[in-house]
Amino acid sequence: MAAYPQDPGAPDAPYLAFWRERHLCTLTTLRPDGTPHVVPVGVTYDPGARLARVITDKGSAKVAHVLAAGPDGARVAVCQVSGRRWATLEGRAFVHTERERVAEAERRYAERYERAPSPNPARVVIEIELDRAMGRG
């Protein structure tokens, strides 16, 4: 994959293959003062739904930042790097607590990271409605 933008709903095969590999990612949210908050996370990418998903605890700072943005969601980015390869997905994030959405995010996490997430009754999912994708390989 060369440096170029991708269609987040229909990426090319190398870009999608890179997102299917097991990699630790980062999530960047904005604090109320506008400064970036960058944390390591597991991310799953669903181009058919134009979504990226991050499972987390409802009390986390990343959830607070997304909620603070209000009903229009928060602009965020997720990124993964492996050597000289990298891929970024951007969009609007929303926090969901519905059991079926959380379960779907957990299922996708287990598939990508080859292990089920540890039980957490306070788990929520941050769903990112994607509008931009880019990468370099």
Side-chain angles (χ1 to χ4, degrees):
M1 129 179 89
Y4 56 92
Q6 290 281 327
D7 176 346
D12 67 22
Y15 190 83
L16 186 56
F18 184 47
W19 273 105
R20 288 186 173 147
E21 295 173 11
R22 187 177 189 270
H23 294 287
L24 186 62
C25 303
T26 59
L27 169 68
T28 303
T29 59
L30 297 178
R31 297 180 181 99
D33 68 1
T35 59
H37 176 254
V38 184
V39 294
V41 293
V43 176
T44 61
Y45 176 30
D46 180 357
R50 295 180 72 98
L51 287 176
R53 295 176 178 92
V54 175
I55 56 175
T56 189
D57 189 275
K58 69 180 176 185
S60 70
K62 55 190 156 292
V63 166
H65 298 155
V66 171
L67 292 174
D72 291 333
R75 291 291 308 173
V76 303
V78 291
C79 184
Q80 66 181 21
V81 177
S82 178
R84 295 176 52 94
R85 298 182 304 158
W86 61 271
T88 300
L89 299 168
E90 298 177 15
R92 290 215 170 266
F94 299 88
V95 176
H96 293 282
T97 59
E98 299 93 336
R99 186 67 222 140
E100 63 279 356
R101 286 179 117 135
V102 173
E104 177 64 9
E106 290 171 332
R107 182 191 71 74
R108 289 175 179 274
Y109 178 97
E111 182 178 281
R112 181 176 190 202
Y113 292 97
E114 301 172 350
R115 67 174 183 84
S118 56
N120 180 354
R123 180 167 289 131
V124 298
V125 59
I126 297 173
E127 289 185 355
I128 305 163
E129 296 177 1
L130 302 172
D131 57 27
R132 185 177 294 162
M134 62 194 114
R136 179 184 173 116

